[in-house]
Amino acid sequence: QVQLQESGPRLVKPSETLSLTCAVSGYSMSADYNWGWVRQPPGKGLEWIGSIHHSGRAYYNPSLESRVTISIETSKNQFSLNVMSVTAADTAIYYCTGVPNGVAGDPWGQGTLVIVST
Amino acid sequence: QSALTQPASVSGSPGQSITISCTGTSSDVGGYDSVSWYQQHPGKAPQLIIHAVSKRPSGVSHRFSASKSGNTASLTISGLQAEDEADYYCCSFAGPSPSYVFGTGTKVIVL
C-alpha cells in the first residue's frame, strides 16, 4: 500500500522560500508514475499546485508557476516542493499526492500546515 | 484557470438522496472525461471517491454515483447516512499539459 508523508518547516517568514519533502513508501518511484502537491488554506478549498513525472518533467498551476518548483529524487523515494517569495496567502495545509492518469490526487499524505508569518 | 463552481452546501435527511453539481467550461469538465470527486472529513486529508467521471475505486460505497453532461458534472449520494457529512470537491483535468482544477467545495449536511 502506497503511503506518503510530508515533512518540512511549519513556520516560514514572508519573502522566504517554503520547502517541503514527501517521502513515499510502498512504491518504487523509479516506476512510470506521477506525483503532485495540493494545498488548502485554513477553512478554504483545495488548490492544485503541480505534479512531476518520475523522469523529472514537472507541470505547474499557471497561477503559481513563477514561484514554484517541484523536484524528484527517485533514489531516495521522495519528491519536494519549493515555493519562493511567500506571503501570508501561502499559509495552507500542503498535501503530497500520487497522481494516477486523470486524477489530481490518490493517495494523499496526511498534510502539513505551513504558516507564513514573522 | 478558474475554480469549478459547486454549491456551498447541500443538506438532506438520513435515507434521502442528494446531488452535488460541479460546473466548469469546455476547457476542463466539458473537454475531458477526467472528472474526479473527493470526500474530506474535518481535519482529514481528502479521499478519492470517484474518478473518470463515474468510476468508483475499490472500497468506495455503491451509494456514491456520478455522471457528466456537457460542462457540468454531478455527484449523487443515495441512502444518505450520518457518516456522509463532509466536504466534497470535484476536480477536472484541464489540459493540455497535465493540469487540474478543483471545485469550490460543497458541505454536505445530514439533518
Side-chain angles (χ1 to χ4, degrees), chain A residues 91-106:
Chain A
T91 293
I93 299 171
Y94 285 78
Y95 296 99
C96 59
T97 75
V99 183
N101 285 342
V103 175
D106 184 54

Side-chain angles (χ1 to χ4, degrees), chain A residues 40 43-47, chain B residues 3-10 20-23 36-40 46 75 86-91 101-108:
Chain A
Q40 183 173 35
K44 297 187 178 180
L46 301 170
E47 181 180 35
Chain B
L4 309 176
T5 301
Q6 298 180 232
S9 66
V10 174
I20 303 168
S21 62
C22 168
T23 301
S36 51
W37 290 87
Y38 301 85
Q39 178 190 61
Q40 185 180 33
L75 173 73
D87 293 326
Y88 292 81
Y89 294 90
C90 62
C91 183
V101 58
F102 282 95
T104 50
T106 297
K107 184 174 187 61
V108 167

Side-chain angles (χ1 to χ4, degrees), chain B residues 12-32:
Chain B
S13 299
Q16 287 186 329
S17 294
I18 61 169
T19 296
I20 303 168
S21 62
C22 168
T23 301
T25 69
S26 58
S27 296
D28 38 62
V29 175
Y32 305 93

Side-chain angles (χ1 to χ4, degrees), chain B residues 22-96:
Chain B
C22 168
T23 301
T25 69
S26 58
S27 296
D28 38 62
V29 175
Y32 305 93
D33 285 333
S34 295
V35 177
S36 51
W37 290 87
Y38 301 85
Q39 178 190 61
Q40 185 180 33
H41 286 107
K44 300 293 187 182
Q47 179 182 356
L48 179 71
I49 58 172
I50 295 286
H51 67 98
V53 176
S54 60
K55 297 181 179 180
R56 278 186 308 274
S58 173
V60 173
S61 172
H62 285 71
R63 298 186 297 104
F64 294 97
S65 62
S67 62
K68 188 187 83 166
S69 177
N71 296 336
T72 298
S74 299
L75 173 73
T76 296
I77 309 175
S78 305
L80 199 62
Q81 298 180 2
E83 67 200 49
D84 300 329
E85 189 160 286
D87 293 326
Y88 292 81
Y89 294 90
C90 62
C91 183
S92 176
F93 183 79

Side-chain angles (χ1 to χ4, degrees), chain A:
Chain A
Q1 183 179 357
V2 182
Q3 292 186 315
L4 298 89
Q5 178 67 59
E6 304 89 350
S7 63
R10 305 298 176 91
L11 181 65
V12 182
K13 291 182 170 57
S15 81
E16 295 189 345
T17 297
L18 179 160
S19 296
L20 295 173
T21 296
C22 181
V24 179
S25 59
Y27 191 89
S28 171
M29 295 186 74
S30 298
D32 185 3
Y33 202 68
N34 295 286
W35 308 91
W37 292 93
V38 175
R39 71 180 183 179
Q40 183 173 35
K44 297 187 178 180
L46 301 170
E47 181 180 35
W48 181 74
I49 299 172
S51 65
I52 188 164
H53 186 252
H54 84 108
S55 65
R57 179 79 184 269
Y59 306 89
Y60 303 110
N61 184 325
S63 68
L64 299 170
E65 188 165 14
S66 63
R67 299 192 296 123
V68 170
T69 302
I70 298 175
S71 58
I72 191 168
E73 291 186 82
T74 56
S75 61
K76 294 183 178 180
N77 241 44
Q78 65 185 35
F79 61 105
S80 300
L81 170 71
N82 280 351
V83 182
M84 300 183 298
S85 305
V86 297
T87 68
D90 294 307
T91 293
I93 299 171
Y94 285 78
Y95 296 99
C96 59
T97 75
V99 183
N101 285 342
V103 175
D106 184 54
W108 296 61
Q110 65 182 26
T112 186
L113 174 62
V114 180
I115 298 172
V116 178
S117 175
T118 55

